[in-house]
């Protein structure tokens, strides 16, 4: 009884206490991500007929339909429903729904009545809840639609346009008179620092009061430093739009990557007659000054600073774009850890949490609206673009990390009217006009920052279209050594661009090579997607970037792998140019950046994560990545000679034994030891047959090694040698796509996640022979027809998207196969029976009782036989 009473007393005290707390707080934001109902039924007529299932926000309806082999994803409407839990004390308040973002057209309904809408998938918006009933049944429905709409950017792009209510949703409860610019989705207070120097900074506070009484109200901003000392204050009395007298801060502590010092501002809205605080907004302020110079690059607080970092897409493995803010923030932390000081928020504005993290960690940033590849020549499109630009600037304005506003990415990539010179001229003129309008708008709204446009390598195209003269900084997305040319061409190419535009500050806003961490190559070549090729590529680029002061900065494409549904290649639906994987595991290339740019002493066994290896020889190359001077490598107790790290790398030829190998790398800095350790499990092939039931997995027509999702290692084939193993006859599948030599095929192979097993092939093969011990074996043959039309996409980046050499019908190909003289496959016609790019797997058994080993023979009925991969497994 006594405990019950105490409990009751405590409970009512807490209630009163919390209630009074709510009352005194002039502004409350309550996250309402939990417990929504969702429906996506394209056929339903009216909301009443929809079948809802429970979901939490952030949510996208495309997280899983992009994971299958079927091309495309649902682009249509989705409905989110929620009953609002309202407190009676809010009856006298103004209440907003605050959306972080929804892709891409949104309509908001309250109790069946439309109360708001928003266009564009990447900026936030607010909707006022004016007619609440407070009867416990107030219900909102949010209709979100990610259908293609020619009036809304992006029209196309190398990323997946996940639909849904994919960013946070909050209720914001304020007094009648409060700060807000509802139409731009902001809290209405804008703060920035002007004329910043080591001696002084001028703080400018502007804003807007949404005041339903029309009364004169006081606005006061107080600035405190990081240890809560007041350093400045300013106030004004007025209505609606306000601008406070400037605040001067003497000897400011400047914000920088090395020391991202933030001052705090508290801006209050006060009723001067009662002195009651009606609203209060807290905003962090970083004091810094910066400039771009066409010859010397970028300067921060007077210091020449090379901007180094990456671009970022917002999606994550198996989540699409519906990624909790806390997880997104890790990306900025990973960038910081890598030694980066720059983030290109591409190709659209992202979660506010990203910019908050940039402010906190000292990462400089550019943000852009999603005009990608092409435009629609319509007033509606232009107006939507301008509205997005305004929202982006208003919503990002208070972040000290932002130094550039951008608005077009490779807008000449999907060139319309290429065959109609007159029409093309008009199209280009319209692009130029739109660019100029966005530029003018941006400079007017925010004269304190630079503007940026990112172009692809067609330098003359952009220059002739008048686009390079418009933005203050031109960004170039360059892929020498990937889509064309050699990696070594990158530097000289930039020299040419710089010589042609000597007065224009320049950034490299993209460069990258696809790296599939499951793929390795002893002799890396372009398009093989191997880690080794990626390492060579990035090393050459880093060197060229650092050697040229006129390059203000460079952002690797991309911080992490990202979803791009229309892409094929080794991981269909994914662009593999990330330094991190889609679930943010670092690749070797990430370690390379860290060794180059992190100030922290660092040593890493190259590919420490490639712990399962196989080869036909025990001598292996192992690299160590480090920013130390020199290091040693110890393998199974044997220490190899000390080597200096050259451009952060040292290579050793080591001997691996079968089974587990212990690898230790050591390096020194100022007498201090730094180490890294890894265990590599090594299988020597095909000797594995001698000691059990191991399988031998071979890729045909390939120079790369692949680890599949069952941790099986696939090695490249070779021509047969006496008493060994290998293929007999034929040649590697080779094809030119849009003028470039592909590596095997980049078609999405249907029926498998292990596409590289099927993407290369030996064409015209006569047979396969293996010398093996006596016993029982299981042989698996893997086929896929690589010629002809697979899944068609029309993305310009797609390596295999165009009809290979004009052949949309595969050549006639019918063949038989024999295993040790016995017919096992009769008249196989891959294309006719299974279609193009379809995985075909056939399993057989055979007993070897003599020393002839295993012999597979292919006989043509018509055309050339093919084999994509082969597995041999000893079962007894
Ligand atoms: C680009 C685009 C980017 C692509 C990238 C690529 O130039 O700006 O959206 O993802 O190339 O990987 O091809």
């Amino acid at each position: 009884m006594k405990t019950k009473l105490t409990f009751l007393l405590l409970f009512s005290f807490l209630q009163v206490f919390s209630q009074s707390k709510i009352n005194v707080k002039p502004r409350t934001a309550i996250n309402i991500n939990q417990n929504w109902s969702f429906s996506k039924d394209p056929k339903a007529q009216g909301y009443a007929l929809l079948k809802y299932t429970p979901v939490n926000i952030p949510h996208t309806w495309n997280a899983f339909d992009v994971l299958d082999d079927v091309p495309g994803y649902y682009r249509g409407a989705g409905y989110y429903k929620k009953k609002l839990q309202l407190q009676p004390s809010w009856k006298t308040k103004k209440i907003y729904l605050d959306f972080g973002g929804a892709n891409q057209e949104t309509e908001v309904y309250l109790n069946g009545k439309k109360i708001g809408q928003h266009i564009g998938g990447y900026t936030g918006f607010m909707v006022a809840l004016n007619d609440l009933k407070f009867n416990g049944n107030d219900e909102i429905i949010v209709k979100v639609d990610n259908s293609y709409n020619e009036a809304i950017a992006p029209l196309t792009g190398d990323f997946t346009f996940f639909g849904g209510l994919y960013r946070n949703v909050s209720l914001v409860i304020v007094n009648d008179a409060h700060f807000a610019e509802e139409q731009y989705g902001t809290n209405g207070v804008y703060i920035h620092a002007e004329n910043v120097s080591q001696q002084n900074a001028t703080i400018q506070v502007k804003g807007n009061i949404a005041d339903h009484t029309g009364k004169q109200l006081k606005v006061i901003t107080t600035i405190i430093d990081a240890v809560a000392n007041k350093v400045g204050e300013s106030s004004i009395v007025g209505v609606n739009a306000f601008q406070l007298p400037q605040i001067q801060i003497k000897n400011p502590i400047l914000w920088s990557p090395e020391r991202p010092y933030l001052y705090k501002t508290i801006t209050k809205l006060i009723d001067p007659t009662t002195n009651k605080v009606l609203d209060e907004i807290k905003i962090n302020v970083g004091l810094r000054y910066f400039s771009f110079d066409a010859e010397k690059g970028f300067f921060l607080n007077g210091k020449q600073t090379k901007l180094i970092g990456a671009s970022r897409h917002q999606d994550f493995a198996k989540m699409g774009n519906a990624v909790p803010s806390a997880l997104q923030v890790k990306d900025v932390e990973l960038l910081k850890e890598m030694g980066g000081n720059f983030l290109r928020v591409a190709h659209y504005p992202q979660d506010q949490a990203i910019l908050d993290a940039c402010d906190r960690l000292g990462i400089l940033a550019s943000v852009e609206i999603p005009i990608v590849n092409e435009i629609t020549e319509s007033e509606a499109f232009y107006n939507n673009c301008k509205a997005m630009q305004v929202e982006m600037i208003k919503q990002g304005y208070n972040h000290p990390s932002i130094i550039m506003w951008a608005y077009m990415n490779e807008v000449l990539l999907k060139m319309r009217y290429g065959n109609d010179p007159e029409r093309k001229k008009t199209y280009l003129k319209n692009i130029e006009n739109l660019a100029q309008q966005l530029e003018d708008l941006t400079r007017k709204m925010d004269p304190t920052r630079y503007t940026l446009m990112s172009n692809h390598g067609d330098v003359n195209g952009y220059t002739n279209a008048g686009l390079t003269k418009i933005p203050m900084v031109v960004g170039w997305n360059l892929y020498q050594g990937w889509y064309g040319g050699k990696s070594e061409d990158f530097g000289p190419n930039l020299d040419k661009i710089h010589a042609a535009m000597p007065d224009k500050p320049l950034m490299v806003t993209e460069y990258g090579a696809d790296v599939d961490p499951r793929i390795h190559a002893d002799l890396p070549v372009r398009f093989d997607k191997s880690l080794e090729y990626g390492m060579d590529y990035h090393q050459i680029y880093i060197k060229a970037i650092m050697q040229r002061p006129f390059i203000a900065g460079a952002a690797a494409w991309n911080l992490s792998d990202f979803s791009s549904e229309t892409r094929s290649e080794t991981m269909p639906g994914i662009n593999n140019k990330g330094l991190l994987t889609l679930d943010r595991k670092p690749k070797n290339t990430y370690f390379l950046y860290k060794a180059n740019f992190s100030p922290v002493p660092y040593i890493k066994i190259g590919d420490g994560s490639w712990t399962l290896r196989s080869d036909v020889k025990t001598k292996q190359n192992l690299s160590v990545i480090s920013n130390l001077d020199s290091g040693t490598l110890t393998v199974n107790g044997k220490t190899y000679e000390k080597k200096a790290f050259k451009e952060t790398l040292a290579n050793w030829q080591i001997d691996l034994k079968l089974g587990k190998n212990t690898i230790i790398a050591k390096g020194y800095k100022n007498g201090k030891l730094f180490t890294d350790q890894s265990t590599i499990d090594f299988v020597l092939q095909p000797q594995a047959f001698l000691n059990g039931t191991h399988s031998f997995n071979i890729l045909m027509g390939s120079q790369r090694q692949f680890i599949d999702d069952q941790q099986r290692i696939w090695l490249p084939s070779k021509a047969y040698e006496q008493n060994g193993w290998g293929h007999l006859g034929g040649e590697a599948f080779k094809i030119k796509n849009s003028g470039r030599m592909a590596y095997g095929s980049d078609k999405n192979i249907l029926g498998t996640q292990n596409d590289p097993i099927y993407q290369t092939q030996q064409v015209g093969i006569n047979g396969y022979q293996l010398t093996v011990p006596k016993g029982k074996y299981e042989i698996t043959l893997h086929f896929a027809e690589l010629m002809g039309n697979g899944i068609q996409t029309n993305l310009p980046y797609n390596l295999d998207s165009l009809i290979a050499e004009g052949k949309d019908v595969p050549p006639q190909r019918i063949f038989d196969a024999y295993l040790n003289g016995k017919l096992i496959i009769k008249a196989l016609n891959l294309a006719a029976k299974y279609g193009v790019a379809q995985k075909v797997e056939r399993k057989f058994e055979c007993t070897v009782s003599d020393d002839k080993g295993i012999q597979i023979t292919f006989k043509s009925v018509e055309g050339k036989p093919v084999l994509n991969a082969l597995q041999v497994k000893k079962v007894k």
Side-chain angles (χ1 to χ4, degrees):
M1 184 64 191
K2 201 176 157 208
T3 27
K4 202 171 170 191
L5 192 67
T6 325
F7 176 74
L8 271 177
L9 276 173
L10 185 69
F11 182 69
S12 42
F13 167 76
L14 280 176
Q15 246 197 341
V16 171
F17 182 71
S18 61
Q19 201 66 38
S20 65
K21 254 192 112 178
I22 285 167
N23 285 341
V24 293
K25 234 172 133 193
R27 168 178 289 255
T28 313
I30 297 172
N31 177 295
I32 54 162
N33 281 356
Q34 302 302 308
N35 303 325
W36 289 70
S37 304
F38 171 70
S39 175
K40 179 197 76 177
D41 183 353
K43 287 186 218 84
Q45 304 288 316
Y47 308 140
L49 300 174
L50 291 169
K51 280 201 202 79
Y52 284 89
T53 48
V55 295
N56 290 328
I57 308 295
H59 176 265
T60 172
W61 53 74
N62 297 122
F64 294 99
D65 63 354
V66 296
L67 298 181
D68 57 26
D69 253 343
V70 184
Y73 51 104
Y74 175 75
R75 295 191 69 176
Y79 299 83
Y80 295 86
K81 190 168 80 169
K82 185 173 176 69
K83 279 233 161 75
L84 296 174
Q85 286 181 5
L86 305 170
Q87 302 203 10
S89 61
W90 297 348
K91 277 189 186 158
T92 57
K93 304 275 178 181
K94 174 95 184 169
I95 303 178
Y96 291 101
L97 274 172
D98 187 359
F99 295 90
N103 199 25
Q104 69 174 351
E105 282 178 89
T106 311
E107 289 172 8
V108 184
Y109 295 82
L110 172 63
N111 300 328
K113 193 178 138 218
K114 187 169 164 192
I115 55 163
Q117 62 189 36
H118 183 256
I119 287 179
Y122 306 97
T123 41
F125 53 98
M126 281 162 75
V127 178
L129 293 168
N130 290 329
D131 294 312
L132 290 164
K133 293 195 252 160
F134 281 92
N135 62 358
N137 285 321
D138 282 305
E139 183 180 72
I140 46 168
I141 290 184
V142 184
K143 177 185 174 201
V144 188
D145 195 328
N146 70 335
S147 305
Y148 174 83
N149 183 336
E150 63 165 23
I152 306 175
L155 302 167
T156 53
D158 183 17
F159 56 105
T160 304
F161 306 153
F162 294 98
L165 202 46
Y166 74 98
R167 287 194 196 146
N168 299 329
V169 186
S170 305
L171 277 181
V172 177
I173 303 109
V174 286
N175 289 311
D176 244 4
H178 59 277
F179 297 118
E181 261 198 324
E182 187 184 330
Q183 69 273 38
Y184 306 119
T186 75
N187 63 25
V189 179
Y190 306 101
I191 303 192
H192 79 260
E194 279 178 3
N195 304 326
V196 180
S197 68
Q198 311 282 346
Q199 292 76 35
N200 192 62
T202 305
I203 309 286
Q204 183 77 67
V205 184
K206 289 185 198 164
N208 192 65
I209 307 165
D211 176 17
H212 298 275
T213 61
K215 221 172 162 183
Q216 292 272 325
L217 297 170
K218 181 177 170 188
V219 179
I220 177 164
T221 296
T222 311
I223 305 182
I224 56 173
D225 64 15
V227 287
N229 289 324
K230 183 162 142 184
V231 293
E233 195 163 80
S234 175
S235 66
I236 201 167
V237 175
V239 277
N240 301 116
F242 62 85
Q243 176 163 354
L244 301 191
Q246 294 175 338
I247 306 168
Q248 305 297 335
I249 298 183
K250 292 272 159 255
N251 303 321
I253 300 175
L254 300 184
W255 180 96
S256 69
E258 297 77 31
R259 189 180 182 197
Y261 191 92
L262 291 173
Y263 290 87
K264 290 189 172 49
T265 65
I266 304 128
T267 302
K268 289 182 179 162
L269 182 65
I270 294 173
D271 182 342
T273 50
T274 59
N275 256 347
K276 191 176 168 210
V277 178
L278 302 172
D279 200 359
E280 183 182 299
I281 304 270
K282 290 184 178 148
I283 293 167
N284 289 336
V285 175
L287 307 177
R288 79 282 185 268
Y289 60 100
F290 58 91
S291 58
F292 282 88
D293 181 280
E295 210 46 59
K296 299 193 191 109
F298 179 72
F299 288 79
L300 180 68
N301 301 331
K303 186 175 135 200
Q304 194 172 17
T305 305
K306 183 80 92 183
L307 297 170
I308 290 290
S311 298
R312 174 185 190 264
H313 269 300
Q314 64 184 0
D315 61 311
F316 194 95
K318 298 190 185 138
M319 292 185 191
N321 57 356
V323 185
S325 304
L327 190 55
Q328 300 203 51
V329 165
K330 291 219 167 102
D331 279 0
V332 188
E333 290 167 353
L334 280 161
L335 180 68
K336 180 79 183 176
E337 186 189 322
M338 182 183 101
N341 60 11
F342 178 71
L343 180 70
R344 176 178 175 224
V345 180
H347 290 314
Y348 41 78
Q350 300 181 7
D351 197 312
Q352 284 291 328
I354 290 294
L355 294 169
D356 288 339
C358 288
D359 295 346
R360 174 171 60 84
L361 296 169
I363 300 285
L364 296 137
S366 68
V367 189
E368 62 205 50
I369 58 162
I371 307 178
V372 181
N373 296 351
E374 57 188 324
I375 67 158
T376 302
E377 297 158 282
S378 74
E379 280 308 313
F381 184 84
Y382 304 153
N383 289 337
N384 286 335
C385 290
K386 284 184 257 180
M388 283 179 200
Q389 188 81 357
V390 172
E391 284 178 351
M392 170 180 77
I393 295 172
K394 292 257 185 193
Q395 292 171 18
Y397 192 83
N398 291 336
H399 292 283
S401 50
I402 298 177
I403 52 171
M404 281 181 283
W405 299 118
Y407 50 78
M408 279 177 182
N409 181 74
E410 303 191 350
V411 79
L412 302 188
L413 191 71
K414 283 199 94 176
M415 182 48 73
R416 295 185 177 189
Y417 315 111
N419 298 327
D420 181 345
E422 273 315 302
R423 186 64 188 86
K424 183 176 159 188
K425 229 162 125 189
T426 315
Y427 178 64
L428 290 176
K429 197 78 210 149
N430 285 330
I431 293 181
E432 188 191 356
N433 283 341
L434 177 59
Q436 192 64 58
Q437 286 181 46
L438 290 164
E439 180 74 18
D440 294 346
L441 176 93
T442 309
R443 290 201 196 188
K444 191 158 165 242
M445 278 184 73
D446 187 358
T448 72
R449 290 173 166 110
Y450 283 71
T451 55
L452 169 76
M453 183 193 293
S454 293
N455 304 333
H456 75 282
D458 179 10
V459 180
N460 291 336
Y462 288 91
T463 312
N464 296 339
L467 294 172
T468 51
K469 62 180 193 320
I470 297 176
M472 297 158 97
V473 180
V474 178
W476 295 101
N477 300 345
L478 299 176
Y479 288 92
Q480 283 81 21
W482 191 249
Y483 293 121
K486 301 192 298 298
S487 310
E488 289 80 2
D489 300 340
F490 165 73
N493 186 49
L494 270 166
D495 294 335
K496 276 194 213 138
I497 297 178
H498 178 53
M501 292 167 227
D503 302 325
K504 195 55 123 180
L506 163 168
M507 293 259 315
V508 182
T509 34
E510 284 180 30
Y511 61 97
D514 286 56
V515 169
D516 180 335
R518 304 171 301 173
I519 293 176
H520 295 274
D522 272 350
L523 295 170
V525 294
R526 184 157 76 104
F527 293 151
D528 68 5
K529 325 279 159 59
S530 71
L531 261 169
E532 290 70 18
Y533 187 83
M535 283 294 274
D536 290 349
Y537 175 98
H538 280 281
Q539 217 187 356
I540 292 165
Y541 270 65
I542 290 173
K543 198 168 166 191
I545 290 161
M546 297 315 286
Q547 276 170 347
R548 291 171 172 78
F550 68 83
I551 304 178
W557 187 260
N558 191 284
L559 180 64
S560 59
D561 291 349
F562 58 93
S563 309
S564 179
E565 176 66 4
T566 43
R567 250 183 201 271
S568 344
E569 306 173 57
T570 58
M571 281 188 204
I574 293 174
N575 182 318
N576 280 123
K577 293 197 187 67
L579 305 178
L580 308 163
T581 61
L582 196 55
D583 56 358
R584 278 34 174 196
K585 292 205 183 68
K587 300 180 191 172
N588 248 19
T589 42
Y590 176 87
F591 301 139
L592 183 70
Y593 278 81
K594 191 165 170 182
N596 273 279
F597 300 108
S598 168
V600 180
Y602 177 67
I603 185 162
K604 186 86 197 163
I605 295 170
D607 252 331
S609 55
W610 181 21
T611 51
L612 186 62
R613 300 192 189 196
S614 179
D615 205 342
V616 291
K617 54 185 194 322
T618 51
K619 255 266 176 284
Q620 295 289 304
N621 180 58
L622 199 81
S623 64
V624 176
I625 309 169
S626 176
N627 55 12
L628 306 173
D629 302 331
S630 58
T632 59
L633 193 64
T634 307
V635 180
N636 302 324
K638 175 179 167 192
T639 300
Y640 290 79
E641 62 174 316
K642 186 172 166 187
K643 287 193 174 179
F645 293 109
K646 214 172 142 253
E647 288 163 21
T648 73
L649 283 178
N651 285 302
W652 281 269
Q653 289 294 313
I654 58 164
D655 289 303
L656 291 182
K657 62 175 194 198
L658 273 63
K660 304 247 182 271
N661 294 264
T662 308
I663 320 276
I664 301 167
K666 286 186 186 162
Y668 292 89
K669 182 147 192 161
N670 301 333
K672 210 172 155 218
L673 172 69
F674 298 90
T675 63
D676 185 37
Q677 184 160 347
S678 176
T679 304
I680 294 178
D681 203 352
F682 184 72
V683 186
L684 187 66
Q685 296 286 14
Q687 276 83 336
F689 289 129
L690 299 174
N691 58 358
T693 55
H694 219 92
S695 60
F696 183 37
N697 313 309
I698 295 295
L699 299 178
M700 305 301 301
S702 169
Q703 290 300 316
R704 61 192 182 191
Q705 179 174 139
F706 173 67
I707 302 173
D708 71 15
D709 55 5
Q710 293 172 47
Q711 295 299 297
R712 295 178 307 195
I713 308 170
W714 297 73
L715 293 180
S717 183
K718 57 181 183 60
Y720 177 73
E721 285 160 33
Q722 190 92 46
N723 295 327
W725 53 278
H727 54 260
L728 303 159
E731 55 184 9
F733 171 89
K734 275 202 184 76
I735 204 153
K736 251 190 180 174
N737 279 323
S738 23
R740 49 202 175 197
M741 193 54 80
Y743 190 97
S745 163
D746 279 301
K747 286 191 167 66
N748 176 7
I749 308 295
L750 305 179
T752 181
Q753 297 295 317
N754 295 315
D755 295 64
I757 297 177
Y758 298 92
Q759 287 171 326
T760 58
Q761 185 181 65
Q762 191 77 359
V763 184
I765 185 168
N766 298 322
Y768 208 93
Q769 186 148 351
L770 297 108
T771 310
V772 292
K774 288 175 188 155
K776 200 169 169 194
Y777 289 87
E778 186 185 273
I779 314 288
T780 314
L781 303 177
H782 297 269
F783 306 97
E785 178 56 65
L786 299 179
M787 292 295 284
N789 265 342
I791 291 166
Q792 284 297 296
T793 60
N794 66 349
L795 203 67
Y797 331 94
N798 248 351
L799 303 181
D800 213 325
S801 62
L802 301 177
I803 298 165
E805 296 287 87
K807 294 189 188 79
D808 53 354
V809 180
Q812 189 62 285
R813 187 197 312 286
I814 305 171
F815 58 94
D816 300 332
Y818 297 82
L819 175 59
N820 285 349
K822 192 177 133 207
L823 181 69
I824 48 169
I825 300 175
K826 183 146 182 59
L828 178 61
N829 184 339
L830 288 168
K833 185 149 187 213
Y834 303 98
V836 170
Q838 173 73 48
K839 159 192 161 166
V840 178
E841 187 182 317
R842 296 287 198 86
K843 232 177 226 154
F844 307 95
E845 276 197 350
C846 75
T847 305
V848 177
S849 47
D850 53 24
D851 51 13
K852 287 207 195 108
I854 298 170
Q855 229 179 358
I856 302 156
T857 323
F858 297 99
K859 290 236 162 68
S860 164
V861 177
E862 210 182 320
K864 292 181 176 173
V866 291
L867 180 64
N868 298 54
L870 166 80
Q871 276 176 290
V872 181
K873 187 171 171 187
K874 189 159 189 283
V875 285
K876 234 193 226 125

